[in-house]
Each structure stands twice: as C-alpha cells, then as structure tokens.
C-alpha cells in the first residue's frame, strides 16, 4: 500500500524519507526529544524546555503537505482559531510558526496519559457517562466558538495521569486534512476521518456541524459501554445498531436509548448540541451516580472508578496523591511547579525594549533575574501567549542588538501581589547575539553547563510509596481491588496498576526512589499471583472474613475437598472457634424457621466469621441473603449484619 505521506510504497517498518527525524533539534527554546506519534497530517514530538523542565507537544507538518500553499495556510489558520479555545478538557494550542527545517509547527500542551483505545472495555455504565460528560463539556466550549472537531474518535481522547482528566486532542485536523484533498479526490468522494466514527453526512460530503461530533461521540460511548463498534468499520445504508443493553446487561435501557439517539442516521434526529447530549446522559443513569463517578474523590490516580464507601486503603492513598498534585496539574501551561519572585536586579547600563505594544511596537521594560539565556520583564498590560515570539532590543553603552525571544513563563498579577513585586513575563533568547551581549553585561564567559546533578525525588511517587508501605501486607489494597470482584476484574485491576506504576520508570528519579518503585512493582505482582489462584485467594479471604471473596473462589472452581482442607488448617489455629460457630449457626437456623430473616442472617454472619470456609453454611447464608436482598452485593463478614 502506498505511504500516506509521500504516495510511494515503502518496505514495512521503514521510515518514510519524506518524514525527517527531528529528534534533538530546537524549536525556539524547546528541544524535540522524541516522536510520540505520527499521522497523515504530521509527526508529534515531545519537546522540553530545559531551564524549567516543562514538557510541550510539537506537531510538525509533513514536508509534502508543507509544500502545498493551501494546506500550509489551512494549518496556520486553524492554529490561529484554536489558540482562543481554552478549556480544562481540551489540549491547548499555544502557538504556530516555522520550526526545524522551516516546517510549520504547532506548539501544544503536552498531555501525558493513555488513549481511549487502551481502556479495558466494556466499562461500567457510570464510568462511561463520566468520561463522555467530560468530552461533551469540551465540545460545548468548542462549538460555542464555531469550532467543530469533525474527526472525533477514541484515538484523540486521552486520560491524563493524576486526576485522570479527559483531554480532547486533534481540533482543527479535519480542516487541514480536507485542504490537502485534490479536486479529483473530492470528485471521487474521498473523505477525511476514521471510518468507524464518521457520520453519514460526512460520507455524503455534506457540511458538518455540532451534530456530527454528537454522532462520533455516540460511537465512542457505544464502544465503551459494550466493547463493540455499532457499525464495524463504517455505517452502510440505513442499518440500525443492536441496542447496547442487549449486548451488555449492565447498560441501563435509558442509557442505551441515549446512545442510540446520538447515533441516529439523520442529523435532525440526534441531540441538537453537546449540552443536550450531556444532560440526557446524566439523566440516563441518574445524576447522583454520574456525580460520584466523575468526582475527584471517586476516581483513583490509576483511573479506577470506586464507590465512595468501597474504596480500599490503597485507592484512598491514590486519591490523596491525585489531590496533592492538583495544584501542579492546574497551573498555567509553561509555569514550573514552584515559581519564585524575581530577585536579581539588572546589570548597570542595560536598557531593554520589548515588542509588547500593538503591532509589536517596542516599549521600554524594567528587567530582573538577567542571565545569558534571558530575563524577567515587568509588564502590567495583557501578557502575550506562552511560547509566543516577541521582538527584543538590547542596548548596553554604544552596543545595540535586535532579535527575537520566546515567552516561557508568566507572572500574573495575583502572584505578583503575593510576592509584593511586579507582574510580567520571563523570556528566553532565540539568537546568539543577545546572549553574547548579556554575557558581556554580566561580566561572565560563555561556559558549558555543569553536568546534571542527582535527580530530585518525584513528589507524586514519594507519596504513593509511603502510602503503599502501610498496606503492603494487604493484596487487595495493593491492587486497588474490591473484596467482591471476580478473578477477571482482579486481573484487570492488577494490569492497570502495573501499567500505571510502570509509567514512573520513564521519569528522572534518584536511584533510591527507583529501587523502591521496583520493589513496589514486585509486591503488586506478588499480590496479583496470590489473588489470581482460587486456593491461595480463599486462604486470604478466610483470614479477612471476606465471604464474597470465598464465594468467588468456589465459583471459579475451588472444590469442596480443597475448601475443607483449607478449613481444617484455618480451624486448627483457632481451637475454640468451631464450637462457638456451631452454636451460632444453630440459633440462626431456628430464627430462619420462624421467618426472622434479619436475625437469622446476623447469626449466620457471626458464625461464618468464626468458620468462613464452611461451604454448606456459606451456601445457605448466600441463598437466604439472595431471597431477602436480591439486589445486594455480599459484603465481608465483618459488615454482614442486616
């Protein structure tokens, strides 16, 4: 198949010569570290601002597309429109200008997390609603500015680390990709987008609007809730999808109806906008449930959704860690985690003017914290966008230098009041001439930076390590698993925990913290082994008084003979337990015959606290509980009172 970048067929696994490798090259003050993704429009690189360590994403337009004036103009025009779109669930676009090799580059917020394509579907309905509601908030903000995504799919929806907030990526890509189509391709009916998520009007080449995004998100919701795509690789004719609640019993009929309306073939039969879709979703499963699922307290740092009263100790620790990192996550893009007030005065005789006025007119500014790389400029007016480029004029004695500088940090008026200083911005120079002048002003030579010192401890990981140490002997707590979950659910919890802990391996960590991380990963894996085999898990559940877990082990194939062997070992360490348990169970049976269901359950539960592996007792207790509380989940023995 021909390459989508240069229309030439290449051997599988080889890099397209039309797409250059730009790792290590500079884009203003940023260094492109590695490519994190490539698509038909461009390659996205993770870029780092060295002095602050802050990460950005830089999308570089493919050279073949950059050579086409219409595509290049559409790329820059969409970037201009998107810079005004600011929402907590949208990956921000900060700037667009030529970068390495003169290729147009889009500077964006770096979103570290995982795409919806990697979620373990189907998800619980409450979690589906919580995720979709966040996306719809982003779409509502975009549609209000006249921006339609038009290419929405699971690949451009990402869950961040920490709070696990949804971020929508790829706004503007559809317009740029459409601009690259030739008249002949348009006449042949070629369209842009992922076939499984394209609305019927897109296949027909008609205009798109907010209802097109509603349709695409309906496909996403159907996939998250059922584990299947409603139309496979694309809709054909007037076909109707299977109702979601037929494929997945956990999906409520009301939620099923909402998703099917979003998937209506005709736009006028769908929700008229994102707000109507979101309100219908919240009503579909109940507002209280949706609030619990999307609240900060109910979503762990590992992305698991838990009931407020069922959170394990490990999840409680993870939620606290997410809360502790909230301030850093919500800081303006480009600002280091802990900013300090400017302290150093400017060198004597240095005069600086920046292009801050309309039409980049130079205005004199008072500067501080001057280094050979840049300085702080006091400015009370509107601050220019982060990562934007400004003209700068430096004068020292009879020497004058004019060049460009990049905005790398803001000091807002609120921060300035807290410091008792001035608001303004930090800039970094894009040219060597300004650096040489400042080196002369500071009386220093241009020398290489000292080798990097030992990395500082990662605050988020340190918090997790401390909390995990307190629950290291509890396998359920280490996996963030609930006591009544079956073996498949426990396996998914373990894989999710290992995957997200492993992300810390990519960070710069001191050696001691890296070793502690590896130790924690080994403990998590050991906990998974313990809870993944019915015999070993039954022993743990018996010691915990977890009846639901013992039932899971029996349902998973633990034979009555093995259970009895474990029971004898359990009772041998508790010589008086069996006699007391028999007395309690006999009393419970008498109460059951008199139809005193609640009292009987209480006596059975107390008996099973002493003899939790007595299979016949457990089945009787389970049967009675099922008759009296058909919708309940069997709790642990410690809470198994009526």
């Amino acid at each position: 198949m021909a390459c989508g970048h240069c229309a030439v067929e290449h051997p599988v696994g080889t890099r397209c010569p039309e797409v250059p490798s730009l790792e290590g090259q500079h884009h203003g003050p940023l260094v492109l570290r590695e490519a994190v993704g490539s698509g038909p429009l461009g390659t996205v690189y993770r870029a780092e601002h060295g002095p602050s360590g802050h990460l950005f994403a830089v999308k570089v337009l493919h050279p073949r597309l950059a050579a086409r004036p219409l595509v290049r103009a559409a790329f820059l025009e969409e970037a201009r429109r998107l810079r005004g779109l600011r929402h907590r669930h949208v990956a921000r676009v900060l700037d667009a200008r030529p970068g390495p090799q003169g290729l147009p580059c889009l500077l964006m917020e770096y979103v570290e997390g995982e795409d919806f394509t990697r979620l373990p579907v189907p998800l619980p309905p409450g979690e589906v609603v919580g995720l979709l509601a966040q996306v719809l908030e982003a779409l509502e903000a975009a549609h209000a500015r006249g921006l339609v995504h038009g290419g929405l799919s699971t690949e451009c929806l990402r869950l961040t680390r920490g709070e696990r907030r949804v971020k929508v990526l790829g706004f503007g890509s559809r317009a740029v990709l459409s601009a690259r189509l030739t008249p002949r391709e348009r006449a042949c009916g070629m369209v842009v987008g992922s076939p499984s998520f394209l609305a019927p009007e897109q296949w027909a080449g008609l205009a798109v609007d907010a209802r097109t995004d509603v349709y695409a998100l309906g496909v996403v919701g159907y996939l998250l809730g059922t584990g299947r795509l409603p139309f496979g690789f694309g809709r054909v004719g007037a076909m109707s999808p299977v109702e979601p609640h037929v494929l997945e019993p956990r999906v409520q009929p009301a939620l099923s109806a909402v998703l099917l309306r979003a998937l209506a073939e005709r736009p006028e039969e769908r929700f008229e906008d994102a707000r109507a879709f979101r309100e219908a979703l919240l009503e579909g499963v109940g507002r209280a449930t949706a609030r619990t699922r999307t609240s900060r307290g109910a979503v762990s740092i590992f992305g698991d959704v838990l009931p407020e009263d069922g959170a394990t100790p490990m999840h409680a620790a993870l939620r606290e860690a997410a809360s502790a990192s909230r301030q850093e996550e919500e800081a303006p893009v480009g600002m280091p985690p802990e900013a300090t007030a400017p302290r150093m005065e400017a060198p004597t005789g240095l005069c600086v003017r920046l292009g801050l006025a309309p039409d980049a007119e130079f205005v004199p500014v008072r500067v501080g914290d001057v280094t050979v790389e840049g300085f702080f400029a006091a400015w009370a007016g509107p601050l220019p966008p982060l990562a934007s480029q400004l003209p700068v004029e430096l004068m020292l004695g009879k020497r004058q230098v004019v060049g460009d500088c990049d905005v790398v940090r803001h000091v807002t008026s609120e921060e300035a009041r807290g410091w008792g200083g001035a608001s303004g911005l930090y800039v970094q120079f894009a040219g060597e001439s300004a650096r040489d002048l400042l080196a002369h002003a500071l009386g220093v030579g241009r020398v290489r930076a000292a080798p990097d010192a030992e990395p500082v401890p990662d605050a988020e990981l340190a918090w997790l390590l401390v909390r995990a140490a307190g629950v290291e002997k509890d396998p359920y707590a280490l996996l963030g698993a609930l006591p009544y979950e079956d073996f498949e659910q426990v396996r998914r919890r373990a894989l999710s925990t290992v995957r997200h802990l492993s992300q810390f391996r990519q960070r710069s960590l001191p050696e001691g913290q890296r070793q502690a991380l590896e130790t924690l990963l080994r403990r998590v894996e050991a906990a998974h082994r313990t809870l993944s085999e019915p015999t070993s898990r039954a022993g743990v559940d018996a010691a915990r008084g977890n009846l639901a877990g013992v039932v899971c082990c029996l349902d998973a194939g633990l034979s009555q003979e093995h259970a009895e062997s474990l029971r004898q070992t359990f009772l041998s360490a508790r010589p008086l337990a069996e006699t007391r348990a028999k007395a309690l169970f006999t009393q419970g049976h008498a109460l059951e015959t008199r139809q005193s269901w609640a009292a009987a359950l209480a006596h059975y539960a107390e008996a099973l606290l002493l003899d939790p592996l007595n299979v016949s007792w457990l089945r009787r207790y389970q049967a009675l509980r099922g008759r009296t509380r058909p919708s309940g989940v069997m709790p642990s023995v410690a809470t198994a009172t009526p």
Side-chain angles (χ1 to χ4, degrees):
M1 181 179 292
C3 172
H5 308 316
C6 67
V8 176
E9 187 171 352
H10 308 301
V12 176
T14 60
R15 177 188 288 271
C16 172
E18 294 283 340
V19 182
S21 175
L22 302 178
E23 287 92 343
Q25 297 198 32
H26 287 263
H27 180 51
L30 308 177
V31 178
L32 305 186
R33 293 302 186 191
E34 61 180 347
V36 296
S38 183
L41 182 61
T43 302
V44 179
Y45 291 86
R46 178 176 63 86
E48 182 178 5
H49 177 240
S52 68
H54 195 83
L55 298 178
F56 294 85
V58 176
K59 179 185 287 187
V60 184
L61 190 65
H62 290 316
R64 183 169 175 265
L65 299 179
R68 298 171 59 174
L70 286 178
V71 178
R72 192 183 186 104
F75 185 83
L76 298 175
E77 173 61 21
E78 286 301 307
R80 184 192 65 78
R81 297 179 66 203
L82 292 171
R83 282 178 60 174
L85 176 58
R86 298 188 180 187
H87 192 275
R88 59 178 181 163
H89 294 306
V90 176
R92 283 184 57 194
V93 172
L94 302 168
D95 190 29
R97 64 171 184 263
Q101 302 183 16
L103 296 172
C105 293
L106 196 66
L107 183 62
M108 303 176 294
E109 172 189 1
Y110 180 70
V111 181
E112 187 173 359
E114 59 185 5
D115 297 338
F116 275 27
T117 54
R118 299 183 61 186
L119 294 178
V121 296
L123 299 175
E127 189 168 359
V128 173
V129 172
L131 296 176
L132 295 183
Q134 293 185 53
V135 179
L136 286 165
E137 287 183 30
L139 292 178
E140 189 175 341
H143 295 164
R145 300 183 64 87
L147 297 169
V148 176
H149 194 291
L152 207 60
S153 71
T154 50
E155 293 181 351
C156 56
L157 300 175
R158 183 165 296 177
L159 278 175
T160 66
R161 289 191 303 106
E163 188 183 347
R164 307 293 285 174
R165 178 182 296 170
V166 178
K167 290 279 190 176
V168 183
L169 292 73
F171 273 104
S173 296
R174 179 192 59 84
V176 182
L177 289 171
S178 297
R180 82 172 190 167
L181 295 178
T182 64
R184 182 178 179 181
E185 289 172 334
R186 294 180 188 278
C188 292
M190 290 189 65
V191 294
V192 172
S194 179
S196 300
F197 299 86
L198 288 178
E201 60 267 26
Q202 290 177 287
W203 287 109
L206 303 177
V208 301
D209 58 21
R211 295 169 297 182
T212 305
D213 287 344
V214 165
Y215 180 94
L217 195 58
V219 177
V220 172
Y222 192 102
L223 175 61
L224 295 182
T226 68
R228 305 183 192 181
L229 288 165
F231 307 107
F233 290 104
R235 191 168 195 158
V236 179
M239 63 188 299
S240 299
V242 179
E243 294 178 302
H245 67 273
V246 174
L247 296 175
E248 175 53 58
R250 291 185 299 176
V251 175
Q252 300 95 327
L255 175 58
S256 186
V258 170
L259 294 175
L260 290 179
R261 180 177 174 186
L263 291 170
E265 181 182 10
R266 301 172 60 186
E268 57 269 24
E269 295 176 354
R270 301 173 205 151
F271 298 104
E272 60 180 354
D273 53 31
R275 173 175 291 185
F277 188 3
R278 181 164 58 89
E279 290 178 349
L281 272 175
L282 295 178
E283 292 291 346
V285 295
R287 292 185 178 274
T289 301
R291 282 196 298 269
T292 299
R293 291 298 189 261
T294 57
S295 67
R296 190 184 306 272
V299 181
S300 80
I301 199 171
F302 286 160
D304 301 309
V305 178
L306 300 168
E308 288 293 333
D309 58 352
T312 64
M314 185 64 170
H315 273 110
L318 296 175
R319 289 203 304 264
E320 291 181 40
S323 177
S325 62
R326 187 187 319 160
Q327 182 175 359
E328 176 179 347
E329 290 180 356
E330 295 183 353
V333 174
M335 178 169 287
E338 294 183 3
T340 55
R343 290 183 295 272
M344 295 185 297
E345 297 295 330
T348 302
L350 177 67
C351 298
V352 179
R353 297 199 306 165
L354 276 176
L356 289 167
D359 298 324
E361 180 183 347
F362 283 115
V363 294
V365 293
R366 180 169 55 85
V367 299
D369 279 0
V370 178
T371 70
V372 294
E373 300 294 329
F375 53 78
F376 166 78
W379 179 247
L383 295 174
L386 285 165
S388 60
Q389 200 166 65
L390 303 176
V392 60
E393 179 188 73
L394 303 173
M395 290 174 289
L396 183 65
K398 296 182 179 181
R399 188 177 176 185
Q400 179 181 22
V401 171
V402 178
D404 294 315
C405 60
D406 295 278
V407 180
V408 297
R409 203 176 103 197
H410 285 166
V411 177
T412 65
S413 56
E414 292 79 6
E415 292 168 329
R417 283 196 295 271
W419 292 331
S423 60
L425 61 153
Y426 280 87
V427 301
Q428 183 168 329
F429 297 117
E432 290 295 316
S433 57
R435 293 187 175 94
D436 291 337
L437 184 146
L438 287 178
H440 177 72
L442 295 169
V444 298
R446 299 292 300 280
V447 296
R448 293 185 178 182
D452 290 339
E454 171 81 2
V456 298
D458 186 280
E460 182 182 354
L461 177 58
W463 188 274
L464 289 180
L465 291 172
V466 170
R467 293 298 186 178
V471 295
E472 61 182 11
K473 296 182 180 180
D474 185 343
Y476 280 97
L478 280 174
L479 301 185
L482 298 175
Y484 53 79
E485 291 182 328
D486 60 28
F487 283 83
E488 176 58 23
Q489 290 172 313
V490 169
R491 185 189 69 83
R492 287 167 55 183
R493 296 278 197 193
L495 291 177
S496 176
T497 301
V498 170
R499 181 170 66 249
H500 291 289
L501 275 177
S502 296
Q503 292 179 355
F504 287 99
R505 287 171 167 166
Q506 309 304 318
R507 302 188 187 184
S508 178
L509 302 174
E511 185 58 28
Q513 202 172 45
R514 188 169 297 279
Q515 292 177 1
L517 171 62
E518 296 303 321
T519 300
L520 176 56
L521 278 165
R522 288 194 294 271
R523 287 174 180 165
V524 168
E525 290 166 357
H528 180 212
R529 288 193 298 271
T530 298
L531 298 184
S532 63
E533 199 281 319
T535 301
S536 60
R537 178 176 174 180
V540 171
D541 289 329
R544 290 168 54 95
N546 177 22
L547 293 187
V550 175
V551 170
C552 285
C553 295
L554 293 170
D555 292 343
L558 178 66
S559 66
Q560 189 161 347
E561 291 75 18
H562 278 96
E564 181 60 26
S565 177
L566 288 172
R567 175 174 175 259
Q568 293 304 321
T569 302
F570 180 88
L571 293 176
S572 65
R574 302 162 177 81
L576 301 179
E578 187 173 10
T579 301
R580 174 61 179 158
K582 285 181 179 179
L584 286 166
F585 195 85
T586 300
Q587 294 170 14
H589 183 264
L591 290 166
E592 183 181 354
T593 59
R594 296 198 296 268
Q595 299 185 357
S596 298
W597 314 123
L601 281 171
H603 280 72
Y604 286 162
E606 193 173 352
L608 285 167
L609 177 62
L610 300 170
D611 192 359
L613 291 165
N614 191 316
V615 176
S616 61
W617 289 5
L618 185 58
R619 293 304 191 191
R620 190 178 190 97
Y621 171 75
Q622 189 181 18
L624 178 60
R625 188 172 177 83
R627 292 199 305 270
T628 58
R629 302 181 183 182
S631 61
V633 175
M634 182 177 292
S636 65
V637 173
T639 59
T641 53

